[in-house]
Amino acid sequence: MESANTIPDSARMLQKSQPDPMAPVAFEKPSTDENDHTPKKSTHEERGTGNARDRGARDSRHKRSDMGRAEWSRNPVDKRARNERAQQDSKRRKINGDKEEVPIYAVEFSKEEIEQEGRKPKRKVAVMIGYSGSGYKGMQVNHNEKTIEGDLFGAFVAAGAISKANATDPKKSSLVRCARTDKGVHAAGNILSLKLIIEDPDVVKKINDHLSPQIRVWGMERTSNSFSAYQLCDSRIYEYLIPTHAFLPPHPNSFLGRKLEELAKEADDKGFYERQKEVSTFWAEVEEQYIKPVLESLDPSLRSEALSALYDPELIIKTKEPLLKTEDLEQAAQLKALEGDIQSRIPLGVMDISQHDFSGVASKPKDPSPLEAAIRSLRNAYVTAKKAHRIHPGRLSRVRSSLSRFVGTHNFHNYTIHKTYRDASARRIIKSFLVNSTPLLINNTEWLSLKVHGQSFMMHQIRKMVSMVALVVRCGCHEGRLQDTYLADKVSIPKAPGLGLLLERPVFDSYNERMGGQNGRERIEFDKFSKEMEEFKQREIYERIFREEERDNQFHTFFASIDNLKSPQFLYLSSLAIQATRRPISRIPESSKAQVGEEALIDDASSEDDEDPEDG
């Protein structure tokens, strides 16, 4: 028999990929990571071998769409095993001569083009950028999704800052981002560190010429070769824009509004009424000024049913106006964009979709029934009334005081996912959390600007912090309840809409003190670009946020869904605190049991991109 040493390497690799039916199955040593609750697979499974149909079943089973939310959160994806399988598959395709699937951000060149270009020196730089996240699937490069880094990488290649030999893989340029923002999140200032060809003095202008107006490169600075935008960042400053009507109390007829009132009476909590006194007459005035005229215009037989439907989630779902699905609009926009040259593609977030033909993408909305039309009229009247609201100075003071409760080092395990109270990484430092003293008035809607400065943030942390403050203020809850969330009890804190979140800038004070001005290295600061950044924020971020909220009413929808959820999961905001969430589900109305299961009472709904860690 021929010795194994005489077998070619490629043949040995193929031999290893085939399972031996007579060999015992080997299992890896269990992980010592206390946070890794994923069941360990056999060696054959880890290597992606075995029956292809079974492997496909295993992979598809771990998709969230195939399991409940609670089950999915208890069995997180084993990313290391997934990456190992991907590497093995890549090697196998190369051995078999299969064509490698090219990421959408990669630019392929022929061997002759690469040789003609020759080698040019690369330098480690910090690239200062700003972007509007609308229409993008987040910051980080993704194999088959449109991302901020994907567009930037293509622009670097087109401008000659990345060689043709490295134009298919950002890792070859040592690309690292400072803050990995989520889908739809904006940034006035963010930083990438990577190796670029910067001989051309107009390289920044050339890069911007290949980018949409949604993404700008402010400038770049030479750094030490060991510089990492992620590792050397001292802290980050985020801004969150929120309309002041988000701090209005729940409607008295909503489930949450009724329960807050009932439990305040049960606990004899006089402080509840004191904390709501500046808005105690708001809903009565709305009924008189906005709702009564609409009701008088309706058929008498529809009035009672239309009002009831506003606070019944099942009826609200049934009467929602049918619209084109977001994924359908994006797909149609992508097909249209691909007709042009790849460098002239317009980002989805800025496309004028009104000019495209969507025939066949979605059916034309049908005419609403009289009841549906009545419900929409009432809903629009409530939205109009809320937008006309102007926050009381006393309520603004409560917002400011509640935000200050986050400052310091605390256990934020309730403000993210997949972290327990005992997880040391859940402890984070918040340096400041401020609100502007003078609200902004845009399109007849009043807005507050919240700015949080922290060392680092976990996934969804900022959006949950903003949501918690809004819930504490609007529910007349004592501010001390916010600090109870740092304790071991698990409470449900929903994410505020991502629309209002933007990264203002990262801070590199330690690096600047140590390296600034030495060996030709400049300080990494955004001050010199403040004018351009402010114009960009107004044009591409603020106006986009205000426009999208005016069109979609995301904040109204978000808080209305919380108020009308017939579940005890948010009753920790009541006068009975966490005890109210532990009452038997039998004490909740029967209609609620059909809407939520026991497992859903604690876990809040998560977005489809929860696997991607990000700051904020």
Side-chain angles (χ1 to χ4, degrees), residues 495-534:
K495 304 187 301 288
L499 173 70
L501 181 63
L502 67 118
L503 171 63
E504 186 169 280
R505 69 181 187 278
V507 179
F508 288 84
D509 287 342
S510 298
Y511 174 85
N512 289 337
E513 290 176 8
R514 189 175 70 255
M515 299 295 295
Q518 297 184 18
N519 303 320
R521 308 291 190 258
E522 296 294 330
R523 296 170 66 88
I524 300 175
E525 295 175 329
F526 288 91
D527 294 347
K528 65 181 75 173
F529 311 111
S530 57
K531 182 179 178 181
E532 298 96 318
M533 290 173 67
E534 197 60 37

mmCIF file of all heavy atoms in Angstrom, residues 495-534:
data_model
loop_
_atom_site.group_PDB
_atom_site.id
_atom_site.type_symbol
_atom_site.label_atom_id
_atom_site.label_comp_id
_atom_site.label_asym_id
_atom_site.label_seq_id
_atom_site.Cartn_x
_atom_site.Cartn_y
_atom_site.Cartn_z
ATOM 1 N N LYS A 495 -36.162 48.606 22.588
ATOM 2 C CA LYS A 495 -35.258 49.521 21.890
ATOM 3 C C LYS A 495 -36.055 50.680 21.316
ATOM 4 O O LYS A 495 -37.044 50.478 20.620
ATOM 5 C CB LYS A 495 -34.542 48.830 20.731
ATOM 6 C CG LYS A 495 -33.766 47.605 21.079
ATOM 7 C CD LYS A 495 -32.972 47.105 19.882
ATOM 8 C CE LYS A 495 -33.844 46.766 18.691
ATOM 9 N NZ LYS A 495 -34.619 45.542 18.892
ATOM 10 N N ALA A 496 -35.597 51.905 21.561
ATOM 11 C CA ALA A 496 -36.189 53.061 20.893
ATOM 12 C C ALA A 496 -35.838 52.984 19.413
ATOM 13 O O ALA A 496 -34.856 52.332 19.026
ATOM 14 C CB ALA A 496 -35.657 54.345 21.515
ATOM 15 N N PRO A 497 -36.597 53.625 18.538
ATOM 16 C CA PRO A 497 -36.316 53.556 17.090
ATOM 17 C C PRO A 497 -34.874 53.957 16.766
ATOM 18 O O PRO A 497 -34.338 54.917 17.337
ATOM 19 C CB PRO A 497 -37.319 54.548 16.500
ATOM 20 C CG PRO A 497 -38.457 54.563 17.470
ATOM 21 C CD PRO A 497 -37.830 54.399 18.825
ATOM 22 N N GLY A 498 -34.247 53.226 15.862
ATOM 23 C CA GLY A 498 -32.883 53.537 15.456
ATOM 24 C C GLY A 498 -32.784 54.823 14.659
ATOM 25 O O GLY A 498 -31.689 55.365 14.480
ATOM 26 N N LEU A 499 -33.910 55.318 14.186
ATOM 27 C CA LEU A 499 -33.947 56.519 13.352
ATOM 28 C C LEU A 499 -33.232 57.697 14.005
ATOM 29 O O LEU A 499 -32.536 58.462 13.342
ATOM 30 C CB LEU A 499 -35.408 56.892 13.071
ATOM 31 C CG LEU A 499 -35.662 58.215 12.357
ATOM 32 C CD1 LEU A 499 -35.191 58.126 10.910
ATOM 33 C CD2 LEU A 499 -37.142 58.586 12.415
ATOM 34 N N GLY A 500 -33.390 57.886 15.320
ATOM 35 C CA GLY A 500 -32.874 59.084 15.972
ATOM 36 C C GLY A 500 -31.434 59.014 16.416
ATOM 37 O O GLY A 500 -30.901 59.995 16.951
ATOM 38 N N LEU A 501 -30.753 57.876 16.217
ATOM 39 C CA LEU A 501 -29.415 57.683 16.773
ATOM 40 C C LEU A 501 -28.323 58.052 15.775
ATOM 41 O O LEU A 501 -28.377 57.670 14.606
ATOM 42 C CB LEU A 501 -29.241 56.227 17.202
ATOM 43 C CG LEU A 501 -27.891 55.855 17.830
ATOM 44 C CD1 LEU A 501 -27.654 56.619 19.125
ATOM 45 C CD2 LEU A 501 -27.820 54.359 18.070
ATOM 46 N N LEU A 502 -27.313 58.784 16.238
ATOM 47 C CA LEU A 502 -26.144 59.047 15.403
ATOM 48 C C LEU A 502 -24.897 59.143 16.262
ATOM 49 O O LEU A 502 -24.935 59.618 17.401
ATOM 50 C CB LEU A 502 -26.313 60.332 14.586
ATOM 51 C CG LEU A 502 -26.352 61.662 15.327
ATOM 52 C CD1 LEU A 502 -25.189 62.529 14.881
ATOM 53 C CD2 LEU A 502 -27.654 62.385 15.068
ATOM 54 N N LEU A 503 -23.801 58.650 15.725
ATOM 55 C CA LEU A 503 -22.494 58.753 16.368
ATOM 56 C C LEU A 503 -21.938 60.135 16.058
ATOM 57 O O LEU A 503 -21.721 60.473 14.895
ATOM 58 C CB LEU A 503 -21.560 57.662 15.832
ATOM 59 C CG LEU A 503 -20.085 57.753 16.232
ATOM 60 C CD1 LEU A 503 -19.923 57.623 17.737
ATOM 61 C CD2 LEU A 503 -19.273 56.691 15.506
ATOM 62 N N GLU A 504 -21.736 60.937 17.094
ATOM 63 C CA GLU A 504 -21.205 62.283 16.862
ATOM 64 C C GLU A 504 -19.713 62.241 16.573
ATOM 65 O O GLU A 504 -19.253 62.790 15.584
ATOM 66 C CB GLU A 504 -21.481 63.189 18.059
ATOM 67 C CG GLU A 504 -21.078 64.632 17.804
ATOM 68 C CD GLU A 504 -21.589 65.567 18.872
ATOM 69 O OE1 GLU A 504 -22.785 65.930 18.804
ATOM 70 O OE2 GLU A 504 -20.803 65.928 19.757
ATOM 71 N N ARG A 505 -18.933 61.574 17.433
ATOM 72 C CA ARG A 505 -17.501 61.426 17.164
ATOM 73 C C ARG A 505 -16.881 60.502 18.211
ATOM 74 O O ARG A 505 -17.333 60.435 19.354
ATOM 75 C CB ARG A 505 -16.788 62.777 17.174
ATOM 76 C CG ARG A 505 -16.696 63.432 18.526
ATOM 77 C CD ARG A 505 -15.996 64.774 18.462
ATOM 78 N NE ARG A 505 -15.757 65.342 19.781
ATOM 79 C CZ ARG A 505 -16.640 66.018 20.489
ATOM 80 N NH1 ARG A 505 -17.841 66.217 19.985
ATOM 81 N NH2 ARG A 505 -16.334 66.496 21.671
ATOM 82 N N PRO A 506 -15.815 59.805 17.844
ATOM 83 C CA PRO A 506 -15.012 59.071 18.827
ATOM 84 C C PRO A 506 -13.926 59.988 19.381
ATOM 85 O O PRO A 506 -13.573 60.996 18.761
ATOM 86 C CB PRO A 506 -14.416 57.931 17.999
ATOM 87 C CG PRO A 506 -14.342 58.477 16.609
ATOM 88 C CD PRO A 506 -15.437 59.501 16.465
ATOM 89 N N VAL A 507 -13.379 59.640 20.541
ATOM 90 C CA VAL A 507 -12.379 60.461 21.217
ATOM 91 C C VAL A 507 -11.088 59.654 21.370
ATOM 92 O O VAL A 507 -11.112 58.509 21.826
ATOM 93 C CB VAL A 507 -12.896 60.910 22.605
ATOM 94 C CG1 VAL A 507 -11.843 61.749 23.320
ATOM 95 C CG2 VAL A 507 -14.196 61.700 22.453
ATOM 96 N N PHE A 508 -9.951 60.284 21.007
ATOM 97 C CA PHE A 508 -8.635 59.626 21.056
ATOM 98 C C PHE A 508 -7.650 60.453 21.883
ATOM 99 O O PHE A 508 -6.518 60.690 21.470
ATOM 100 C CB PHE A 508 -8.083 59.428 19.637
ATOM 101 C CG PHE A 508 -8.779 58.366 18.844
ATOM 102 C CD1 PHE A 508 -9.946 58.662 18.169
ATOM 103 C CD2 PHE A 508 -8.286 57.080 18.780
ATOM 104 C CE1 PHE A 508 -10.605 57.697 17.433
ATOM 105 C CE2 PHE A 508 -8.933 56.104 18.052
ATOM 106 C CZ PHE A 508 -10.096 56.407 17.379
ATOM 107 N N ASP A 509 -8.047 60.899 23.052
ATOM 108 C CA ASP A 509 -7.206 61.776 23.870
ATOM 109 C C ASP A 509 -5.876 61.129 24.252
ATOM 110 O O ASP A 509 -4.815 61.771 24.185
ATOM 111 C CB ASP A 509 -7.958 62.196 25.134
ATOM 112 C CG ASP A 509 -9.060 63.206 24.841
ATOM 113 O OD1 ASP A 509 -9.021 63.822 23.752
ATOM 114 O OD2 ASP A 509 -9.963 63.373 25.684
ATOM 115 N N SER A 510 -5.898 59.876 24.676
ATOM 116 C CA SER A 510 -4.662 59.211 25.111
ATOM 117 C C SER A 510 -3.664 59.101 23.971
ATOM 118 O O SER A 510 -2.468 59.382 24.142
ATOM 119 C CB SER A 510 -4.978 57.821 25.675
ATOM 120 O OG SER A 510 -5.811 57.903 26.807
ATOM 121 N N TYR A 511 -4.134 58.702 22.812
ATOM 122 C CA TYR A 511 -3.240 58.598 21.649
ATOM 123 C C TYR A 511 -2.696 59.969 21.266
ATOM 124 O O TYR A 511 -1.499 60.117 20.967
ATOM 125 C CB TYR A 511 -3.990 57.985 20.470
ATOM 126 C CG TYR A 511 -3.183 57.973 19.181
ATOM 127 C CD1 TYR A 511 -2.284 56.942 18.916
ATOM 128 C CD2 TYR A 511 -3.313 58.996 18.243
ATOM 129 C CE1 TYR A 511 -1.532 56.933 17.756
ATOM 130 C CE2 TYR A 511 -2.562 58.991 17.077
ATOM 131 C CZ TYR A 511 -1.679 57.962 16.834
ATOM 132 O OH TYR A 511 -0.922 57.960 15.688
ATOM 133 N N ASN A 512 -3.553 60.983 21.295
ATOM 134 C CA ASN A 512 -3.116 62.328 20.921
ATOM 135 C C ASN A 512 -2.048 62.857 21.875
ATOM 136 O O ASN A 512 -1.096 63.520 21.451
ATOM 137 C CB ASN A 512 -4.315 63.278 20.882
ATOM 138 C CG ASN A 512 -5.244 62.997 19.713
ATOM 139 O OD1 ASN A 512 -4.830 62.420 18.720
ATOM 140 N ND2 ASN A 512 -6.495 63.394 19.847
ATOM 141 N N GLU A 513 -2.192 62.582 23.168
ATOM 142 C CA GLU A 513 -1.196 63.045 24.138
ATOM 143 C C GLU A 513 0.141 62.325 23.959
ATOM 144 O O GLU A 513 1.210 62.922 24.141
ATOM 145 C CB GLU A 513 -1.721 62.816 25.562
ATOM 146 C CG GLU A 513 -2.880 63.728 25.946
ATOM 147 C CD GLU A 513 -3.432 63.394 27.321
ATOM 148 O OE1 GLU A 513 -2.803 62.550 28.007
ATOM 149 O OE2 GLU A 513 -4.472 63.957 27.699
ATOM 150 N N ARG A 514 0.082 61.056 23.597
ATOM 151 C CA ARG A 514 1.298 60.260 23.485
ATOM 152 C C ARG A 514 2.008 60.447 22.141
ATOM 153 O O ARG A 514 3.234 60.551 22.080
ATOM 154 C CB ARG A 514 0.963 58.776 23.685
ATOM 155 C CG ARG A 514 2.186 57.881 23.800
ATOM 156 C CD ARG A 514 1.826 56.446 24.124
ATOM 157 N NE ARG A 514 1.175 55.775 23.016
ATOM 158 C CZ ARG A 514 -0.114 55.507 22.943
ATOM 159 N NH1 ARG A 514 -0.908 55.860 23.946
ATOM 160 N NH2 ARG A 514 -0.625 54.892 21.903
ATOM 161 N N MET A 515 1.217 60.506 21.046
ATOM 162 C CA MET A 515 1.813 60.499 19.706
ATOM 163 C C MET A 515 1.628 61.795 18.930
ATOM 164 O O MET A 515 2.319 62.028 17.934
ATOM 165 C CB MET A 515 1.187 59.355 18.889
ATOM 166 C CG MET A 515 1.412 57.977 19.463
ATOM 167 S SD MET A 515 3.157 57.483 19.459
ATOM 168 C CE MET A 515 3.493 57.419 17.696
ATOM 169 N N GLY A 516 0.688 62.635 19.349
ATOM 170 C CA GLY A 516 0.400 63.847 18.598
ATOM 171 C C GLY A 516 1.611 64.755 18.465
ATOM 172 O O GLY A 516 2.252 65.113 19.449
ATOM 173 N N GLY A 517 1.932 65.127 17.228
ATOM 174 C CA GLY A 517 3.061 66.027 16.970
ATOM 175 C C GLY A 517 4.402 65.330 16.903
ATOM 176 O O GLY A 517 5.412 65.984 16.628
ATOM 177 N N GLN A 518 4.478 64.026 17.120
ATOM 178 C CA GLN A 518 5.742 63.299 17.067
ATOM 179 C C GLN A 518 5.894 62.567 15.741
ATOM 180 O O GLN A 518 4.943 61.969 15.240
ATOM 181 C CB GLN A 518 5.825 62.283 18.216
ATOM 182 C CG GLN A 518 5.819 62.914 19.600
ATOM 183 C CD GLN A 518 6.008 61.869 20.679
ATOM 184 O OE1 GLN A 518 6.464 60.768 20.421
ATOM 185 N NE2 GLN A 518 5.652 62.226 21.911
ATOM 186 N N ASN A 519 7.098 62.616 15.184
ATOM 187 C CA ASN A 519 7.421 61.894 13.952
ATOM 188 C C ASN A 519 6.441 62.181 12.818
ATOM 189 O O ASN A 519 6.073 61.288 12.044
ATOM 190 C CB ASN A 519 7.457 60.378 14.225
ATOM 191 C CG ASN A 519 8.448 60.005 15.311
ATOM 192 O OD1 ASN A 519 9.547 60.567 15.375
ATOM 193 N ND2 ASN A 519 8.054 59.088 16.181
ATOM 194 N N GLY A 520 5.992 63.427 12.752
ATOM 195 C CA GLY A 520 5.080 63.799 11.671
ATOM 196 C C GLY A 520 3.672 63.293 11.846
ATOM 197 O O GLY A 520 2.872 63.343 10.913
ATOM 198 N N ARG A 521 3.336 62.813 13.046
ATOM 199 C CA ARG A 521 1.988 62.297 13.303
ATOM 200 C C ARG A 521 1.113 63.417 13.854
ATOM 201 O O ARG A 521 1.455 64.037 14.864
ATOM 202 C CB ARG A 521 2.017 61.143 14.303
ATOM 203 C CG ARG A 521 2.986 60.025 13.953
ATOM 204 C CD ARG A 521 2.533 59.251 12.734
ATOM 205 N NE ARG A 521 3.329 58.064 12.541
ATOM 206 C CZ ARG A 521 4.314 57.948 11.656
ATOM 207 N NH1 ARG A 521 4.626 58.998 10.909
ATOM 208 N NH2 ARG A 521 4.975 56.827 11.512
ATOM 209 N N GLU A 522 -0.003 63.676 13.214
ATOM 210 C CA GLU A 522 -0.926 64.710 13.670
ATOM 211 C C GLU A 522 -1.930 64.127 14.662
ATOM 212 O O GLU A 522 -2.170 62.918 14.705
ATOM 213 C CB GLU A 522 -1.671 65.316 12.475
ATOM 214 C CG GLU A 522 -0.774 66.052 11.486
ATOM 215 C CD GLU A 522 -0.142 67.286 12.088
ATOM 216 O OE1 GLU A 522 -0.768 67.896 12.988
ATOM 217 O OE2 GLU A 522 0.985 67.647 11.682
ATOM 218 N N ARG A 523 -2.545 65.002 15.448
ATOM 219 C CA ARG A 523 -3.585 64.587 16.390
ATOM 220 C C ARG A 523 -4.823 64.147 15.610
ATOM 221 O O ARG A 523 -5.158 64.723 14.573
ATOM 222 C CB ARG A 523 -3.936 65.739 17.318
ATOM 223 C CG ARG A 523 -2.799 66.168 18.217
ATOM 224 C CD ARG A 523 -3.113 67.454 18.949
ATOM 225 N NE ARG A 523 -4.212 67.276 19.884
ATOM 226 C CZ ARG A 523 -4.059 66.878 21.151
ATOM 227 N NH1 ARG A 523 -2.846 66.611 21.610
ATOM 228 N NH2 ARG A 523 -5.088 66.745 21.961
ATOM 229 N N ILE A 524 -5.498 63.128 16.121
ATOM 230 C CA ILE A 524 -6.721 62.635 15.475
ATOM 231 C C ILE A 524 -7.905 63.355 16.102
ATOM 232 O O ILE A 524 -8.387 62.995 17.178
ATOM 233 C CB ILE A 524 -6.844 61.108 15.629
ATOM 234 C CG1 ILE A 524 -5.641 60.427 14.978
ATOM 235 C CG2 ILE A 524 -8.139 60.607 15.007
ATOM 236 C CD1 ILE A 524 -5.610 58.931 15.180
ATOM 237 N N GLU A 525 -8.347 64.407 15.432
ATOM 238 C CA GLU A 525 -9.434 65.246 15.926
ATOM 239 C C GLU A 525 -10.312 65.676 14.759
ATOM 240 O O GLU A 525 -9.850 65.765 13.619
ATOM 241 C CB GLU A 525 -8.882 66.490 16.637
ATOM 242 C CG GLU A 525 -8.098 66.188 17.901
ATOM 243 C CD GLU A 525 -7.463 67.422 18.500
ATOM 244 O OE1 GLU A 525 -7.106 68.350 17.732
ATOM 245 O OE2 GLU A 525 -7.323 67.470 19.731
ATOM 246 N N PHE A 526 -11.573 65.978 15.077
ATOM 247 C CA PHE A 526 -12.517 66.407 14.050
ATOM 248 C C PHE A 526 -12.708 67.922 14.026
ATOM 249 O O PHE A 526 -13.466 68.423 13.198
ATOM 250 C CB PHE A 526 -13.883 65.737 14.284
ATOM 251 C CG PHE A 526 -13.898 64.273 13.962
ATOM 252 C CD1 PHE A 526 -13.598 63.333 14.942
ATOM 253 C CD2 PHE A 526 -14.216 63.819 12.698
ATOM 254 C CE1 PHE A 526 -13.629 61.973 14.664
ATOM 255 C CE2 PHE A 526 -14.239 62.458 12.398
ATOM 256 C CZ PHE A 526 -13.945 61.540 13.379
ATOM 257 N N ASP A 527 -12.017 68.641 14.913
ATOM 258 C CA ASP A 527 -12.248 70.079 15.042
ATOM 259 C C ASP A 527 -12.032 70.827 13.738
ATOM 260 O O ASP A 527 -12.772 71.753 13.404
ATOM 261 C CB ASP A 527 -11.341 70.663 16.137
ATOM 262 C CG ASP A 527 -11.696 70.140 17.517
ATOM 263 O OD1 ASP A 527 -12.779 69.531 17.649
ATOM 264 O OD2 ASP A 527 -10.898 70.329 18.450
ATOM 265 N N LYS A 528 -11.018 70.439 12.981
ATOM 266 C CA LYS A 528 -10.701 71.171 11.749
ATOM 267 C C LYS A 528 -11.764 70.979 10.661
ATOM 268 O O LYS A 528 -11.783 71.709 9.678
ATOM 269 C CB LYS A 528 -9.341 70.734 11.219
ATOM 270 C CG LYS A 528 -9.266 69.281 10.774
ATOM 271 C CD LYS A 528 -7.868 68.906 10.281
ATOM 272 C CE LYS A 528 -6.918 68.737 11.436
ATOM 273 N NZ LYS A 528 -5.592 68.201 11.004
ATOM 274 N N PHE A 529 -12.652 69.994 10.856
ATOM 275 C CA PHE A 529 -13.708 69.733 9.866
ATOM 276 C C PHE A 529 -15.090 70.117 10.402
ATOM 277 O O PHE A 529 -16.110 69.710 9.834
ATOM 278 C CB PHE A 529 -13.721 68.254 9.481
ATOM 279 C CG PHE A 529 -12.376 67.703 9.122
ATOM 280 C CD1 PHE A 529 -11.743 66.784 9.950
ATOM 281 C CD2 PHE A 529 -11.726 68.112 7.959
ATOM 282 C CE1 PHE A 529 -10.499 66.275 9.639
ATOM 283 C CE2 PHE A 529 -10.476 67.596 7.631
ATOM 284 C CZ PHE A 529 -9.860 66.681 8.470
ATOM 285 N N SER A 530 -15.125 70.886 11.495
ATOM 286 C CA SER A 530 -16.393 71.161 12.172
ATOM 287 C C SER A 530 -17.420 71.833 11.252
ATOM 288 O O SER A 530 -18.616 71.515 11.313
ATOM 289 C CB SER A 530 -16.151 72.014 13.415
ATOM 290 O OG SER A 530 -15.489 73.217 13.077
ATOM 291 N N LYS A 531 -16.992 72.756 10.423
ATOM 292 C CA LYS A 531 -17.932 73.460 9.537
ATOM 293 C C LYS A 531 -18.566 72.499 8.540
ATOM 294 O O LYS A 531 -19.784 72.460 8.372
ATOM 295 C CB LYS A 531 -17.213 74.583 8.796
ATOM 296 C CG LYS A 531 -18.136 75.397 7.892
ATOM 297 C CD LYS A 531 -17.378 76.515 7.183
ATOM 298 C CE LYS A 531 -18.315 77.282 6.246
ATOM 299 N NZ LYS A 531 -17.585 78.362 5.515
ATOM 300 N N GLU A 532 -17.722 71.701 7.859
ATOM 301 C CA GLU A 532 -18.245 70.736 6.875
ATOM 302 C C GLU A 532 -19.135 69.694 7.548
ATOM 303 O O GLU A 532 -20.166 69.290 6.994
ATOM 304 C CB GLU A 532 -17.091 70.038 6.142
ATOM 305 C CG GLU A 532 -16.207 70.962 5.331
ATOM 306 C CD GLU A 532 -14.974 71.385 6.115
ATOM 307 O OE1 GLU A 532 -15.124 71.678 7.325
ATOM 308 O OE2 GLU A 532 -13.882 71.411 5.520
ATOM 309 N N MET A 533 -18.744 69.260 8.739
ATOM 310 C CA MET A 533 -19.520 68.247 9.449
ATOM 311 C C MET A 533 -20.887 68.777 9.859
ATOM 312 O O MET A 533 -21.890 68.059 9.779
ATOM 313 C CB MET A 533 -18.754 67.755 10.675
ATOM 314 C CG MET A 533 -17.527 66.919 10.341
ATOM 315 S SD MET A 533 -16.523 66.505 11.785
ATOM 316 C CE MET A 533 -17.649 65.423 12.669
ATOM 317 N N GLU A 534 -20.937 70.043 10.294
ATOM 318 C CA GLU A 534 -22.211 70.620 10.712
ATOM 319 C C GLU A 534 -23.160 70.745 9.525
ATOM 320 O O GLU A 534 -24.358 70.444 9.639
ATOM 321 C CB GLU A 534 -21.974 71.981 11.362
ATOM 322 C CG GLU A 534 -23.140 72.487 12.189
ATOM 323 C CD GLU A 534 -23.512 71.569 13.328
ATOM 324 O OE1 GLU A 534 -22.599 70.972 13.942
ATOM 325 O OE2 GLU A 534 -24.724 71.424 13.605
#
